[in-house]
Amino acid sequence: MTTTPDGGTAVPADALAGGTTGPDALAPLLHTVLDALAKGAVDRAGPLPDGGPTGTARDIAHALRHPAPPTAPVTPPRPDLLRPRGTGPTEALHTLTRALARGAADPADPACAAHLHCPPLAVAAAADLAAAALNPSLDSWDQAPSATALEEAVITAFATLVGYDPAHAAGAVTSGGTESNLTALLLARDTALRAHAQQATPTHDPTDGIPPHWAGRLRVFCSTEAHFSIARSAGILGIGAGRTTTVPTDDRHRMDPAALDAALAAATRDGNLPVAVVATAGTTDTGSIDPLEPIAAVCRRHRVHLHVDASYGTGALFTPRLRPLLDGLPEADTIALDTHKLGWQPVASGILLARHADTFHPLAQRAAYLNPDDDEAAGYPSLLGRSLRTTRRADAFKIAVTLRALGTDGLGDLVERCHRLAHHAARRIDAHPRLELHAPPVLTTVVFRYLPPPGTPASATPTPPADPDRINARLRRRLLETGRAVIGRTTVRPATGPGTPPGTVRLKLTLLNPHTTPDDLDQLLSLVVTEGDALSTSHTPGDHPVPPRRPRCEEP
Amino acid sequence: MTTTPDGGTAVPADALAGGTTGPDALAPLLHTVLDALAKGAVDRAGPLPDGGPTGTARDIAHALRHPAPPTAPVTPPRPDLLRPRGTGPTEALHTLTRALARGAADPADPACAAHLHCPPLAVAAAADLAAAALNPSLDSWDQAPSATALEEAVITAFATLVGYDPAHAAGAVTSGGTESNLTALLLARDTALRAHAQQATPTHDPTDGIPPHWAGRLRVFCSTEAHFSIARSAGILGIGAGRTTTVPTDDRHRMDPAALDAALAAATRDGNLPVAVVATAGTTDTGSIDPLEPIAAVCRRHRVHLHVDASYGTGALFTPRLRPLLDGLPEADTIALDTHKLGWQPVASGILLARHADTFHPLAQRAAYLNPDDDEAAGYPSLLGRSLRTTRRADAFKIAVTLRALGTDGLGDLVERCHRLAHHAARRIDAHPRLELHAPPVLTTVVFRYLPPPGTPASATPTPPADPDRINARLRRRLLETGRAVIGRTTVRPATGPGTPPGTVRLKLTLLNPHTTPDDLDQLLSLVVTEGDALSTSHTPGDHPVPPRRPRCEEP
């Protein structure tokens, strides 16, 4: 390392993060990143940048373009990221990290509460650096000796936590609920096809793909509130996105086990093959948890694979108050968990568990360069058969560090804080004449909407009656565009109650920040009402100008 | 933050990484991580821990167990990661990071040269921290305003680099070559099925899955040297892993275009539907690059989707010397690139590109909570339809920072350094009587083996002739077990040359560390020969004791 004119330490551009010299190279670069993160957060001065997509795209383009490279422009022009000569690690890190932070929707801000998009714990983000620097890859032991052992320890911990017998269970860290769901449905599909091979061609080989006999006749069952990744996975797997049977829910958005029973019976009667039932423990919209015990009983009766998507519900594992919502979970054949929701990890940190390690059989894979027979016989473990991926980052590491640092009680406390915030918001919404609560919170989500006042605005020109869907969608975009708040939205079944204005658009607070206060929530709800009122009484909703919060970067 | 008795700063366990206070919370924790990384590297004192899988598992178990929790043991015993009370961020980070580093196979060590497992650049690992701290997720703009714009900039840069017209191309960052290949084959499958829908049921709906007419009749074509993820993807997609037609290669491990032409003609004649041809630009074993131009011509003639798996070959894009190996690349319909191989990024950082954005049509996805119609109409972009994942980490960020910091010439220089190292190793191997080169290096991989001496060892007891496969496999495991080197292995077709000892096991150096010197390689090859000689002349190969390099952690 050399010294720069201003006395700082210049790290060579080709310095590595690992080895004995990596920490010395990383130290000044991390200092640069922290400085840029802090300055970018001040630049942003809120939960997200103002100016909407156009403003952010302009800011990023500006950051990428400046300073102009010293060489003459080339023809045809090359993208700004393809400069032949680099600007060096310090300049590149500072400029782009500051731009990233300035243009972030930062979930650590209490007014950023739209999605299952958590603010990561500092301890988890710091742990993730160790995984990045050493770069273990879990597809073979000789790329990840300690990371392999640590992932197994994380799997054992979560298998115990869900109530599996860890001696028989197996699992792997995934990129999130979507990958967990896809993998689980793959395992279920191939297990079902193997069990019913004789009904297909007698000579059918599992490597022949979906046999003609069953093509178009495989079925996946989930509730109408299940995540879209279930149908999408069915599409990827060749089952067909449209071959997902959506089972009706009760008035609290939970799958109706009797309806599931009837749907399974009908499918079999029609000559179809049920591949899996997917129950949801924590729906994306309302956090509803399907009744797992009766669903498991139905699945046993029909001998069909039960997968529980507990990506959001993972948090309930840590607190005795919410844990009973997950009764029946250990009866699932496979479970999707997620620690980048109510687990405060940086993305990605999903977990797929199977009650029996055998369930992973369809993913068994032998590769001469990764897990040759004689290496396995000599005791070299291989996690290759646990994942759809080959190269796989040690995302288990940050989870292990977080579990150890906070303990299960510490994580439970964070879950409870968010749960209490949701109930506070629900009470405030319920009490407000301009707000309508959609459903009581189950985990940490509050679905609601703004209700325009019934009267016509005091205006010279008559206006059409305010459309609540349009106003709610617009008020959310206005909050985004002006950088004041990131709240979520979704669509619900048409409202039918007496006196309820029609409309299907709802707003959503997904409360994953344990540092948010009740006051923060009150302010956030005030913003919603103020913006809704402004749009309701405006002639041309959405057009009242809001000055930008900070000067924009201008193109030269 | 409070002050600890020793004057350090205690970060609360629930401190967040983001917001305006995140950098202050991260600073002391990162200091802890760097200290533990440095100490762990010294503990390890080499490319990987000694003691093999058993030793590492014991070390990790020890780290997880100590210090014993202050509370009384519970019955039944809980996994060590499920302590109710945490140990705090500093203790957890230091203990587990040091254990991770001590037990790592660190690719920054010149003697760690087995896999396409690169030592990350410090600048890239530092950039990754920013993504972890702010936690943008690319499935909706309102979780990732700046990260969305930056990913688009990275895609534009790589689309330009491969020779696509960036105005028409599209792509996304993936978890690696395997996900890129799976996604590309999904797009190809659904495009082929749509084009041939009328041959299936006239009323076939794309959401109905693989139609019975085509079940068992979809075909994917690749060479015998293609990565196993191609067949595995065909299995996942319901095509069938066994429905992959492997096309023969020439004596330099490259797909034979004439044989591909014949295989495609035969498939169509037999009533099968070719879904895609997968050419490889940089095979995992030898780095061989299929002749892309003639393959593209064959694909055009047969109107079949051409996907190029250039995961390893990505590095050749940066250097004029190797770039001609990729001639024909812009004719591919889709391309898998990877910057966690010859791009020195921490995992994960794959890239999937399509020449035409329309190719992504099968992944189009509307979700009311992520990308409602009216938000898109109002200018809010959505990358949801570019990826199999929903939640998706901003892995593009570190790639953008690295491109800017080093420039394309800087990256090209690193590629050339590794390429020269491979040629140096090949020359040394070729000149050594006990080593046999399998093929000249193309990119940065050298495949070879140790040849046991022909004579019988000077021993009183007659020994059976040494089996080169057994000796090569064992010598590699001995190097792993004793923590001296991580070299790769693979299986090749049986050797047939006159005088060549039989056997299919080969050793492999995959040279991705630009700081490795020719001297380092000479020492590594000496280690191989010494260990091979010891095994060849030993009565009971593998049993000569090697003292452990450091005292092991003992169970109390």
Side-chain angles (χ1 to χ4, degrees), chain A residues 141-176:
Chain A
W141 183 89
D142 63 0
Q143 294 174 88
S146 48
T148 297
L150 280 163
E151 170 156 305
E152 289 290 77
V154 167
I155 295 302
T156 297
F158 279 92
T160 306
L161 209 51
V162 300
Y164 281 167
D165 176 351
H168 296 122
V173 173
T174 69
S175 61

Side-chain angles (χ1 to χ4, degrees), chain A residues 178 227 347 375 390 393 476, chain B residues 178 347 369 375 390 393 476:
Chain A
T178 294
H227 192 253
V347 173
D375 275 7
T390 310
R393 182 181 173 96
R476 187 186 94 95
Chain B
T178 294
V347 173
Y369 77 97
D375 275 6
T390 311
R393 182 183 173 95
R476 186 186 95 95

Side-chain angles (χ1 to χ4, degrees), chain A residues 450 452 464-473 502-504:
Chain A
Y450 168 83
D467 170 359
D469 276 4
R470 194 168 169 209
I471 286 186
N472 279 281
T504 59

Side-chain angles (χ1 to χ4, degrees), chain B residues 330-405:
Chain B
E331 297 183 61
D333 296 289
T334 49
I335 303 173
L337 301 175
D338 232 346
T339 60
H340 59 230
K341 296 182 169 78
L342 284 173
W344 296 279
Q345 300 299 299
V347 173
S349 55
I351 297 170
L352 173 64
L353 296 176
R355 194 170 63 224
H356 294 294
D358 285 354
T359 306
F360 277 96
H361 177 268
L363 274 176
Q365 177 75 45
R366 185 68 59 195
Y369 77 97
L370 290 174
N371 60 352
D373 284 320
D374 56 320
D375 275 6
E376 280 213 358
Y380 286 80
S382 168
L383 301 181
L384 187 61
R386 294 276 184 267
S387 175
L388 300 179
R389 283 181 279 168
T390 311
T391 297
R392 189 155 64 86
R393 182 183 173 95
D395 287 316
F397 182 66
K398 61 195 171 193
I399 305 174
V401 170
T402 304
L403 276 174
R404 182 177 175 102

Side-chain angles (χ1 to χ4, degrees), chain A residues 306-324:
Chain A
L306 172 59
H307 172 65
V308 176
D309 178 355
S311 298
Y312 184 12
T314 300
L317 293 169
F318 296 108
T319 150
R321 184 200 303 266
L322 298 173
R323 185 64 173 81

Side-chain angles (χ1 to χ4, degrees), chain A residues 18-335:
Chain A
T20 49
T21 58
D24 284 344
L26 281 167
L29 299 179
L30 294 171
H31 178 79
T32 300
V33 169
L34 294 183
D35 184 66
L37 284 174
K39 292 197 165 80
V42 170
D43 292 346
R44 191 181 65 236
L48 85 165
D50 62 0
T54 318
T56 300
R58 195 166 50 218
D59 278 359
I60 294 297
H62 185 268
L64 292 173
R65 190 150 307 149
H66 298 280
T71 48
V74 290
T75 314
R78 279 161 73 92
D80 293 309
L81 276 176
L82 293 184
R83 301 159 185 244
R85 289 196 53 187
T87 64
T90 304
E91 193 286 334
L93 275 173
H94 203 274
T95 301
L96 294 190
T97 300
R98 188 167 177 171
L100 182 75
R102 188 169 54 221
D106 188 346
D109 190 295
C112 185
H115 295 282
L116 286 165
H117 170 220
C118 77
L121 292 169
V123 65
D128 209 19
L129 172 71
L134 292 167
N135 208 28
S137 177
L138 289 155
D139 50 325
S140 68
W141 183 89
D142 63 0
Q143 294 174 88
S146 48
T148 297
L150 280 163
E151 170 156 305
E152 289 290 77
V154 167
I155 295 302
T156 297
F158 279 92
T160 306
L161 209 51
V162 300
Y164 281 167
D165 176 351
H168 296 122
V173 173
T174 69
S175 61
T178 294
E179 184 183 326
S180 296
N181 290 338
L182 173 63
T183 308
L185 289 179
L186 168 70
L187 302 179
R189 182 198 71 184
D190 287 359
T191 302
L193 285 177
R194 193 158 55 152
H196 293 82
Q198 75 290 355
Q199 284 169 261
T201 323
T203 58
H204 187 77
D205 178 317
T207 70
D208 285 349
I210 296 175
H213 177 82
W214 288 123
R217 292 187 166 277
L218 302 178
R219 292 291 182 277
V220 173
F221 298 79
C222 61
S223 88
T224 48
E225 305 288 320
H227 192 253
F228 67 79
S229 62
I230 304 303
R232 212 181 195 206
S233 294
I236 294 166
L237 296 170
I239 294 170
R243 301 309 193 179
T244 310
T245 304
T246 48
V247 180
T249 52
D250 64 16
D251 59 357
R252 287 162 68 189
H253 309 285
R254 299 174 303 188
M255 186 192 283
D256 175 354
L260 171 67
D261 195 18
L264 283 165
T268 310
R269 198 172 52 234
D270 295 345
N272 296 318
L273 177 56
V275 160
V277 169
V278 181
T280 309
T283 62
T284 307
D285 277 346
T286 59
S288 303
I289 296 178
D290 289 338
L292 302 181
E293 283 187 328
I295 289 171
V298 171
C299 291
R300 271 198 307 276
R301 202 154 53 241
H302 291 271
R303 294 168 182 272
V304 60
H305 183 111
L306 172 59
H307 172 65
V308 176
D309 178 355
S311 298
Y312 184 12
T314 300
L317 293 169
F318 296 108
T319 150
R321 184 200 303 266
L322 298 173
R323 185 64 173 81
L325 291 168
L326 302 178
D327 282 352
L329 185 60
E331 297 183 60
D333 296 289
T334 49
I335 302 173

